[in-house]
Amino acid sequence: LDCRNAQMIRGKKVLELGSGLGLCGIICHYLGADRVLLTDGDSDVLSNLRYNVRENVHTSFCDESILTEPNDQAHKTERVGKMDDVMVAYCNDDGKDEQEYMTYPTVSCPQHIWGKAIDQFKQSYGMSDVILAADCLYITQSLEPFWQSIDQLLVRSDSNGGTARDDDESNTDCQTGDGILIYIMKSSSAAPLDMVLEMATKYGFTWTTPTASSSPHGKMSENIFIFRRK
């Protein structure tokens, strides 16, 4: 994720699964994502994640899931009505810096346990154009729920070539085409790749790896996979 690939992120609704410290999701925010959901299933990890976002993202971009801890109603009340115009810098398709003023919260940190309460999560946050998963898949028993969440939360093309979203019946602001999953597997203890790809096939996904021409240093990006529906 850098300026050379910003077009994959800018203006898109992004969901990160197993965010951990939140680095990838925060970068997506600064690359110009329209909305970023940083999620994790572990409550302690989620608390640290929200702290990291508060420290690295201007509060005018953050929703109450970040600014308000449980039962912190005073903080929640104080937050209402204090939206400032804030400038966000990002890179355009040519790698040049651009700036834009934004006045609405674009970053959220809800809890999501893979394969659980997916319909409820989708009702609250909608579907996403891009899903990120970086070094978060270790246990083979998690493969099925991992792909269940992806299958239900990633936008898909309708029969007319547009993008179908369960949360937007009009579809007037949707990008054309299916959403993408960016899966990064760097850890040696990650779930076996062949099992990940087998499960992807089961759920109707195909995959590619970034080519040398799209890599920042002209090298193949090993262990990075771009998944799309067949």
Side-chain angles (χ1 to χ4, degrees):
L1 295 175
D2 65 7
C3 290
R4 297 170 181 84
N5 297 302
Q7 73 279 359
M8 298 176 68
I9 301 297
R10 190 172 66 252
K12 303 296 179 63
K13 292 177 170 59
V14 178
L15 164 65
E16 185 179 10
L17 300 177
S19 298
L21 296 175
L23 175 61
C24 290
I26 292 171
I27 290 175
C28 286
H29 165 70
Y30 283 105
L31 287 176
D34 182 65
R35 183 267 283 152
V36 181
L37 298 174
L38 299 93
T39 69
D40 208 283
D42 186 287
S43 298
D44 292 333
V45 172
L46 198 63
S47 180
N48 290 331
L49 170 62
R50 289 169 177 166
Y51 172 81
N52 287 339
V53 173
R54 286 196 300 269
E55 292 296 305
N56 291 281
V57 176
H58 192 284
T59 56
S60 289
F61 294 120
C62 301
D63 79 351
E64 293 171 358
S65 71
I66 301 169
L67 298 174
T68 309
E69 293 298 328
N71 300 321
D72 187 5
Q73 294 300 319
H75 191 178
K76 181 175 182 179
T77 301
E78 181 183 354
R79 173 70 177 83
V80 174
K82 290 193 174 182
M83 296 298 295
D84 301 321
D85 285 355
V86 181
M87 191 186 317
V88 61
Y90 60 86
C91 301
N92 63 18
D93 293 338
D94 298 323
K96 298 180 180 179
D97 291 337
E98 292 189 4
Q99 296 176 331
E100 178 181 355
Y101 282 96
M102 305 176 73
T103 59
Y104 55 93
T106 62
V107 183
S108 303
C109 293
Q111 185 176 44
H112 178 60
I113 300 173
W114 302 340
K116 303 290 186 182
I118 299 176
D119 288 340
Q120 181 179 349
F121 186 91
K122 184 161 54 175
Q123 183 177 4
S124 297
Y125 298 99
M127 302 174 76
S128 296
D129 304 301
V130 179
I131 294 181
L132 298 176
D135 278 336
C136 63
L137 191 55
Y138 297 96
I139 304 173
T140 56
Q141 291 88 339
S142 298
L143 283 168
E144 186 87 42
F146 174 77
W147 281 103
Q148 287 174 350
S149 287
I150 292 168
D151 185 49
Q152 293 296 313
L153 297 175
L154 190 64
V155 298
R156 66 181 74 215
S157 295
D158 61 25
S159 59
N160 297 318
T163 300
R165 292 179 186 273
D166 291 352
D167 59 310
D168 182 5
E169 295 180 358
S170 65
N171 293 331
T172 55
D173 63 343
C174 298
Q175 301 291 331
T176 299
D178 279 333
I180 63 171
L181 164 68
I182 303 174
Y183 177 66
I184 303 171
M185 186 187 71
K186 296 291 188 180
S187 173
S188 60
S189 58
L193 178 59
D194 59 341
M195 297 183 68
V196 175
L197 300 182
E198 180 181 355
M199 192 65 66
T201 301
K202 174 182 176 180
Y203 279 86
F205 283 81
T206 186
W207 58 88
T208 57
T209 55
T211 61
S213 61
S214 64
S215 179
H217 305 292
K219 300 178 181 179
M220 293 298 291
S221 299
E222 297 181 357
N223 300 324
I224 300 177
F225 298 85
I226 308 297
F227 290 88
R228 293 179 174 86
R229 288 189 173 89
K230 294 180 180 179

